[in-house]
Structures are given as structure tokens and as C-alpha cells.
């Protein structure tokens, strides 16, 4: 059956939607693939739905091929399982919670570890039943703080999530590897340019965890790579801490007047003017910058957290977010400083000098009892210029381990181009990506919390070990659009195009319309998926819409028809060739099935 554009439920738009920040969002809306229903919530129109189903089918085929079985859970879920794993609370504001008419608590599933675990517990009880991998392609709900870029970060989105169940660690490794290979095939078939990077295991405490990132400047994730093959999301980079140094005979920490030096730049300038070093100038890396955050826990509790980092580095917001999750680190306001007079804004430091002696000011040891964590570079023996906790005053030669002890290490400073890879494999380079998939060895956390055990070979009850694996299915529609679109519209790869060929009847006259119609029918009979632009519209409108809608190939039946010719256009390259009408079907079938 051919689809006629005159009948298709679609309107292309001449104007960009006001909220579109990225090209894929702009074109998916303008080409009539999706419509916004609410922030981060989209309606799929016929063209968009065709692409979504193609992505789903690729994912489904590869999951089935690796031996996983498809199931489908509801999106509306009871509270209890999520209470048992603490995620009812830990998910914080990202969880859509609701009540039924009897006052019972429900949620819209953000991910389904709990439900899969309970389902397997419900049905299976022996090691003989395992290994098992089950999956679903289903709608997820997350009340994202920043829904963004159309389908890329929605509050309702389609995910493929699968879960593996094994009796032992070797089984989990095998299930993880099978998923990894399936994901490689999926993202290859989607035609994405992607990298596999080490990911953050986070609070779930699992071991192996990797993300598949589509390389894209529009991505929200930053990853690093080294020439020696190291690849990680910046969130997951643990820098190699330098060796402890011998502070030797460094003088005691002493206070220096540094008026008007509330910033690192001002401080370095003042230091070089007032107390220059003999061997080299002071730099920002000699200073210890102490940044105050308010840590807000999922249950609403909050506490101050101070992070000490070398002054030449900023704190990376995403690394911080990942490191403190499920708590959130909020910046502190002026009234927080007002409420804590011992925190002198611009002059905070781990140590104060009292009666000529250095005493610890921050951390569990200090009088404030405020949590103080330092960058891994702040190893024992390193000396710093840092705030004296007195306005317009800094301390020089504050030595870590000698003058103060932090409560722990927090590795959240920015990673920069050229920084050494933690495994010694060369300098890192940074790029951005869109997280398309995540594979993750969960281990026994969920099985333990929900009591999923099976009898092993010796008749002993053992806790099952699990993996959790996600693919952003609706996100993939946007990511592929983002990677392939140009200044004129969408440009689908063949595997994801809603139609193989768009046939355009351009020019007046019954003959052209009839020839276009016949060609469309012949292409359809040859097995191609055909969209026929049979509208009473000008050639200019039809050409522009074909470019916006982005079918990989279009055929123009128009002026050339008098000579028995049609024009075949390649959307991605812009190449055009004239082909005899009589050979058009063979030519197009060869293109599409190449
Ligand atoms: P992100 O860091 O982008 O928020 P995540 O770590 O929360 O992703 P997972 O919980 O691992 O993601 O979900 C599995 C997959 O689902 C992700 O790899 C991504 O492709 C997709 N996904 C996650 N959140 C969204 C969203 N808000 N909109 C669309 N797709 C999403
Ligand atoms: Mg997320």
C-alpha cells in the first residue's frame, strides 16, 4: 500500500519551535514527526511513530537473538517494592508518585529492577532455571529537573530495559558480555558513531558498568579518551593521586595580609607581589580553594559540605552530582554564610592560626564539625596557600597531614584536555556524547533487598546476582536525527527512514500525476515503502518538504517525463541522477537493498 502525502496526517512547519535548542528537536517538530504535549512529553505522529517502531524492532531482534525473552510490565506500579529498596525515597523528585482512590501509594516506573526481581522470585526457585535474561520495551517516567532537547531528555520516554539473573559471578560476567555484544550490534545497526566508556557504578555499588555514548556536541555527557585506549565518562574518572610527599623542613603555617583577595586570581597576584617565591612564581595550583555546598539528602535532611580543590581547577558539576548521588549538592546562599559566621566567604581554609599555632578549622576535627573533603591531589605533605578564616587574610605553608586532616577524598575537580589518563595510557582528550545505553553489573543488591534466592547444586539457598541493561529507544530517534540532519531538514539512514522512497509529482498535467502514481504503485509492488507526494502544491513546496521530512531517496517525476526520464535524488549527499522511467524501479530497488 502506498501512502499519499495528500492524506497523511502531517503538517510541516516553516518556523522553528520556540523551545528547540538542538537541530534534531527543531526538525522532528518541523517535519511533523512529533508534537509537544507538555514539557518533556511528546505525541508521536505517523511519521515519527514509524521511526520509533523501526528502532524498537532493531532492539527487539538483537535482544531476541542473544536469547533474552520479552515481557511487559505496567508503568503504574505499587509503592512497596520500591520502599523495600529505598528507591521510593532515594529517587527524590525524579519519581512521579500518585495515589489511588483508596489513598494507596503508586508510582510511574522510572526503571524496573524491583519488578523484574519480584517476578523472577515469583516463578523461579532453582539454579536449573538460570541463567535468565528478560527484557521489555516500555514507557518510563522520570520527572527530570531539566527536560531538554525534545526526545533526548524527556519526562516520558521509551526504554528497552533488560535484566539478567545468574547464580554466580562467572554467570553474571557471561550475561554482561552477551548484552555488551548485543548492544554493539544494535548501535551499529542504528548507524551511530559511538564510544563505549567506563561508567559510574554509583551508590548501587556494582562492579562493571559501561555506557554507550553517541559522539555529539549536543550531548550532555562528557567523556575522555586516551591514545592508549582508556575511555570513561568524566563522572567515572578517578584520577591517579600523586604519591605522598615529604614536607621536610617546611616552616610552620603563617598568616599573611592579603587584602581584597576573595578570588584565586586576586590571591595569586597578591602572593607574587607580597611574598614572592625564590624558585618560581606562585600559581593558582599552589592555592587550595574551599567551596561550600549544601548537601540535601533524599529524605530532606541537609548539611554543609566543604570541598577543597587546587585553585587552578573548578569543581565539575556533573562529577559532583554523580559523586554525592542520591543526595544533591546545592550552592550555598549568602544567608547560609550569615548563619555560619565561622565560614568567612572568600577566605575559608582548613586551618586557623590561634595564638601562633595552626589548629584545624574544618572537618570532623574542627570546631565547626562541618564535613570537609579534599581533592585526591591534596596528599599528605603537600603545602598550600589557603584561607585563614579571617577576612583579608591567607595562610602560607599549610601542610596536609601536618596541619589538618580531611574527612575523606572527593574526586570532583574538572578533568582537562591533556590531563594524564589514570591508567598511564597517555594524555586525555575530552568530547561530548549522548548516553544511548548503559550496561551494569548490579550484583546482589536488589536480590538481597527483595529476597530473590534459588537452590544451588548442593541444595543450599543462594542469592541471585543480577545485571541491568538499558537502551534509550525514543532517545535513539532523536540521536540519529541529530547525527544525520543538515540545514535543510532530516536525512534518515535507510534502516530508520519512515519510507524508503518519496515520489514527487512536480508540474502540471494529468500525465505527470498519472506517471508518478504508477511509479509509486510499481515501487510498492517491488517491496519498497513508498510515500507519494500527490498534493496540489508547487514544486518548490514539494522539494522543501521532501528535504525536511528526510527520506533517504526521492524520485522527481516532472519536466523530464517528456523525454522518458525521472530524477533520483539522494537526500544525504544531494546527488541527483536522471534515470529512464522504465528503469526506475530496478534502479531504486538496487539502491534500497544495497
Ligand atoms: P542520563 O544520565 O542521560 O539521565 P541515566 O543514567 O539516568 O541517563 P539509565 O537509568 O541508565 O539512564 O537509563 C537507560 C537509558 O535510558 C539511558 O542510557 C538513556 O539512553 C535512556 N534515558 C534515560 N533517561 C532518559 C530521558 N529522560 N529521556 C530519554 N531517554 C532517557
Ligand atoms: Mg537520568
Amino acid at each position: 500500500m502506498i501512502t499519499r502525502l495528500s492524506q497523511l496526517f502531517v503538517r510541516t512547519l516553516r518556523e522553528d519551535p520556540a523551545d528547540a535548542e538542538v537541530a534534531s528537536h527543531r526538525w522532528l517538530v518541523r517535519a511533523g514527526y512529533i508534537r509537544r504535549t507538555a514539557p518533556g512529553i511528546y505525541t508521536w505522529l505517523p511519521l515519527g511513530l514509524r521511526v520509533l517502531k523501526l528502532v524498537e524492532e532493531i532492539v527487539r531482534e538483537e535482544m531476541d537473538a542473544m536469547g533474552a525473552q520479552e515481557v511487559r510490565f505496567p508503568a503504574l506500579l505499587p509503592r512497596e517494592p520500591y520502599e523495600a529498596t529505598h528507591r521510593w525515597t532515594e529517587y527524590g523528585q525524579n519519581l512521579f508518585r500518585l495515589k489511588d482512590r483508596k489513598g494507596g501509594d503508586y508510582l510511574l516506573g522510572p526503571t524496573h529492577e524491583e519488578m523484574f526481581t519480584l517476578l523472577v522470585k515469583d516463578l523461579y526457585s532453582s539454579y536449573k532455571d538460570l541463567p535468565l535474561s528478560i527484557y521489555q520495551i516500555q514507557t518510563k517516567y522520570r520527572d527530570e529537573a531539566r527536560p531538554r532537547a525534545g526526545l533526548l531528555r524527556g519526562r516520558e520516554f521509551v526504554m528497552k530495559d533488560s535484566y539478567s539473573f545468574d547464580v554466580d559471578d562467572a554467570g553474571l560476567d557471561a550475561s554482561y558480555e552477551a548484552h555488551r555484544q548485543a548492544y554493539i550490534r544494535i548501535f551499529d545497526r542504528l548507524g551511530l558513531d559511538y564510544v563505549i566508556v567506563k561508567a559510574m557504578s554509583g551508590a548501587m555499588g556494582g562492579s562493571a558498568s559501561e555506557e554507550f555514548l553517541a559522539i555529539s556536541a549536543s550531548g550532555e555527557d562528557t567523556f575522555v579518551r586516551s591514545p592508549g585506549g582508556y575511555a570513561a565518562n568524566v563522572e567515572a574518572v578517578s584520577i591517579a593521586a600523586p604519591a605522598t610527599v615529604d614536607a621536610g623542613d617546611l616552616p610552620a603555617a603563617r598568616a599573611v595580609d592579603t587584602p581584597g583577595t576573595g578570588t584565586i586570581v586576586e590571591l595569586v597576584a597578591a602572593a607574587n607581589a607580597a611574598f614572592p617565591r625564590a624558585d618560581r612564581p606562585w600559581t593558582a595550583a599552589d592555592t587550595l580553594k574551599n567551596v561550600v555546598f549544601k548537601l540535601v539528602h533524599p529524605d530532606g535532611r541537609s548539611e554543609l559540605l566543604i570541598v577543597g580543590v587546587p585553585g587552578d581547577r573548578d569543581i565539575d558539576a556533573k562529577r559532583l552530582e554523580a559523586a554525592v548521588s542520591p543526595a544533591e549538592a546545592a550552592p550555598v546562599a549568602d544567608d547560609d554564610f550569615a548563619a555560619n559566621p565561622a565560614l568567612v566567604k572568600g577566605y575559608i581554609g582548613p586551618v586557623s592560626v590561634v595564638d601562633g599555632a595552626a589548629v584545624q578549622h574544618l572537618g570532623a576535627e574542627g570546631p565547626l564539625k562541618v564535613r570537609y573533603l579534599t581533592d585526591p591531589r591534596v596528599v599528605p605533605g603537600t603545602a598550600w596557600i589557603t584561607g585563614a578564616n579571617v577576612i583579608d587574610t591567607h595562610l602560607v605553608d599549610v601542610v596536609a597531614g601536618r596541619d589538618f586532616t580531611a574527612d575523606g577524598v572527593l574526586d570532583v575537580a574538572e578533568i582537562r584536555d591533556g590531563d594524564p589518563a589514570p591508567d598511564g595510557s597517555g594524555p586525555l582528550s575530552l568530547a561530548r556524547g549522548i548516553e544511548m545505553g548503559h550496561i551494569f553489573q548490579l550484583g546482589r543488591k536488589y536480590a538481597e533487598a527483595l529476597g530473590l534466592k534459588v537452590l544451588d547444586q548442593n541444595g543450599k539457598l543462594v542469592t541471585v546476582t543480577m545485571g541491568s541493561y538499558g537502551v534509550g529507544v525514543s532517545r535513539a530517534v532523536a540521536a540519529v536525527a541529530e547525527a544525520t540532519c543538515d540545514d535543510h531538514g532530516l536525512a534518515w539512514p535507510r534502516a530508520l527512514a519512515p519510507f524508503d522512497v518519496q515520489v514527487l509529482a512536480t508540474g502540471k498535467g494529468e500525465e505527470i500525476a498519472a506517471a508518478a502514481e504508477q511509479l509509486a504503485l510499481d515501487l510498492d509492488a517491488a517491496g519498497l515503502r513508498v510515500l507519494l507526494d500527490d498534493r496540489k502544491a508547487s514544486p518548490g513546496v514539494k522539494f522543501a518538504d521532501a528535504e525536511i521530512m528526510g527520506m533517504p531517496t526521492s524520485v522527481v517525476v516532472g519536466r523530464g517525463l517528456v523525454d522518458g526520464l525521472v530524477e533520483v535524488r539522494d537526500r544525504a549527499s544531494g546527488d541527483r541522477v536522471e534515470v529512464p522511467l522504465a528503469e526506475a524501479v530496478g534502479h531504486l530497488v538496487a539502491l534500497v537493498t544495497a
Side-chain angles (χ1 to χ4, degrees):
M1 200 188 70
I2 61 172
T3 301
R4 289 162 204 280
L5 204 35
S6 63
Q7 306 296 312
L8 185 65
F9 185 55
V10 67
R11 278 286 171 276
T12 53
L13 309 178
R14 297 289 155 228
E15 301 291 323
D16 287 339
D19 60 342
E21 304 157 45
V22 301
S24 58
H25 182 195
R26 185 158 69 234
W27 290 121
L28 286 168
V29 172
R30 281 189 53 182
Y33 281 62
I34 56 170
R35 292 296 289 168
R36 194 183 88 132
T37 305
I41 305 181
Y42 288 85
T43 302
W44 296 87
L45 301 183
L47 287 173
L49 194 55
R50 289 177 81 106
V51 183
L52 179 68
K53 286 180 175 173
L54 290 167
V55 175
E56 286 184 10
E57 217 29 56
I58 289 174
V59 172
R60 184 172 284 117
E61 281 173 20
E62 295 302 339
M63 294 312 297
D64 290 347
M66 66 150 277
Q69 299 173 59
E70 187 171 7
V71 298
R72 188 166 313 165
F73 277 90
L76 182 60
L77 302 170
R79 168 177 179 163
E80 290 70 24
Y82 288 78
E83 190 73 59
T85 58
H86 308 295
R87 288 213 288 188
W88 175 263
T89 316
E90 281 179 5
Y91 239 101
Q93 295 195 311
N94 265 21
L95 193 64
F96 279 105
R97 299 174 180 83
L98 61 160
K99 283 197 189 293
D100 71 1
R101 62 168 73 204
K102 293 183 186 138
D105 282 319
Y106 286 80
L107 62 117
L108 294 177
T111 172
H112 280 67
E113 279 79 4
E114 286 82 351
M115 305 316 296
F116 274 79
T117 309
L118 287 174
L119 183 66
V120 174
K121 180 183 175 183
D122 197 12
L123 296 176
Y124 276 6
S125 56
S126 162
Y127 75 94
K128 291 182 201 148
D129 298 324
L130 305 182
L132 171 73
S133 284
I134 43 182
Y135 76 98
Q136 63 175 346
I137 297 175
Q138 189 257 8
T139 306
K140 299 278 186 271
Y141 296 86
R142 294 181 185 179
D143 195 1
E144 298 275 359
R146 292 171 292 278
R148 185 187 156 265
L151 302 172
L152 280 181
R153 181 170 300 283
R155 296 196 299 161
E156 175 182 293
F157 58 97
V158 181
M159 193 202 288
K160 185 287 298 178
D161 47 329
S162 41
Y163 306 86
S164 64
F165 300 84
D166 283 277
V167 259
D168 53 27
D169 295 351
L172 173 57
D173 285 342
S175 296
Y176 180 90
E177 186 55 29
H179 271 91
R180 194 174 192 274
Q181 293 306 321
Y183 275 37
I184 289 173
R185 288 190 295 271
I186 289 169
F187 295 117
D188 284 350
R189 285 180 66 181
L190 293 177
L192 287 169
D193 183 14
Y194 66 93
V195 281
I196 306 176
V197 301
K198 180 166 122 47
M200 186 80 180
S201 312
M204 296 209 239
S207 42
S209 170
E210 289 167 294
E211 286 167 352
F212 290 69
L213 303 182
I215 301 169
S216 167
S218 310
E220 287 182 90
D221 284 271
T222 304
F223 67 94
V224 294
R225 280 187 289 192
S226 76
Y230 178 85
N233 192 309
V234 280
E235 291 173 6
V237 175
S238 308
I239 70 152
T244 301
V245 290
D246 183 3
D249 45 9
L250 275 181
R254 63 189 188 285
V256 288
D257 280 340
T258 51
T261 56
T263 68
I264 296 292
V265 173
E266 290 162 343
L267 173 61
V268 172
N272 282 316
F275 47 96
R277 273 180 82 116
D279 53 346
R280 60 167 175 85
W282 295 110
T283 70
D286 296 312
T287 69
L288 182 61
K289 174 164 72 178
N290 299 291
V291 189
V292 191
F293 294 97
K294 191 189 273 182
L295 257 198
V296 185
H297 296 277
D299 60 8
R301 264 183 320 120
S302 74
E303 61 176 315
L304 288 182
L305 167 68
I306 303 186
V307 184
V309 293
D312 63 329
R313 299 211 177 229
D314 285 329
I315 287 179
D316 180 314
K318 295 213 54 171
R319 276 164 56 73
L320 176 67
E321 187 184 318
V324 303
S325 169
E328 279 170 29
V332 287
D334 278 343
D335 22 323
D336 292 300
F337 282 107
N340 293 282
L343 294 180
V344 184
K345 195 176 171 184
Y347 300 90
I348 299 172
V351 169
S352 295
V353 171
V354 181
D355 299 333
V359 295
Q360 182 141 356
H361 187 70
L362 303 177
E365 305 280 302
L368 304 176
K369 306 274 176 257
V370 53
R371 214 164 138 66
Y372 182 57
L373 302 174
T374 49
D375 185 87
R377 296 170 186 86
V378 186
V379 291
T382 51
W384 304 90
I385 302 177
T386 189
N389 304 301
V390 176
I391 186 93
D392 292 342
T393 312
H394 281 85
L395 299 181
V396 187
D397 285 329
V398 172
V399 176
R402 181 190 75 179
D403 300 327
F404 72 95
T405 313
D407 300 325
V409 169
L410 194 65
D411 190 4
V412 295
E414 62 180 326
I415 306 289
R416 291 197 292 238
D417 254 313
D419 280 350
D423 64 354
S425 60
L428 296 174
S429 54
L430 272 74
R432 294 180 79 86
I434 302 170
E435 183 188 323
M436 300 308 309
H438 189 182
I439 54 176
F440 185 23
Q441 295 201 357
L442 278 182
R444 296 185 173 79
K445 175 183 155 145
Y446 287 86
E448 231 144 53
L450 297 163
L452 171 58
K453 295 177 199 282
V454 293
L455 290 171
D456 72 5
Q457 273 147 305
N458 308 314
K460 210 172 81 183
L461 271 180
V462 292
T463 302
V464 168
T465 182
M466 293 170 54
S468 156
Y469 317 88
V471 170
V473 173
S474 49
R475 181 177 279 186
V477 173
V480 173
E482 187 70 23
T484 51
C485 71
D486 60 18
D487 290 344
H488 304 285
L490 299 167
W492 295 106
R494 294 202 183 281
L496 293 188
F499 293 94
D500 298 313
V501 180
Q502 183 152 343
V503 178
L504 285 64
T506 63
K508 297 201 178 63
E510 273 312 302
E511 242 168 89
I512 286 178
E517 164 103 19
Q518 191 54 52
L519 177 59
L521 290 169
D522 293 346
L523 291 168
D524 178 66
L528 301 194
R529 300 167 306 140
V530 185
L531 178 63
L532 171 65
D533 193 348
D534 59 343
R535 295 174 301 172
K536 304 243 171 301
S538 72
V541 166
K542 293 188 177 185
F543 289 136
D545 278 351
E547 291 208 301
I548 291 179
M549 290 180 183
M551 294 334 132
T553 305
S554 53
V555 190
V556 183
V557 182
R559 272 205 303 263
L561 190 65
V562 288
D563 304 318
L565 295 173
V566 295
E567 186 184 77
V568 176
R569 296 186 173 189
D570 184 86
R571 176 63 185 86
S573 67
D575 291 347
R576 302 170 180 194
V577 284
E578 300 246 274
V579 177
L581 177 60
E583 291 165 25
V585 173
H587 182 86
L588 286 158
V589 169
L591 274 184
V592 171
T593 54

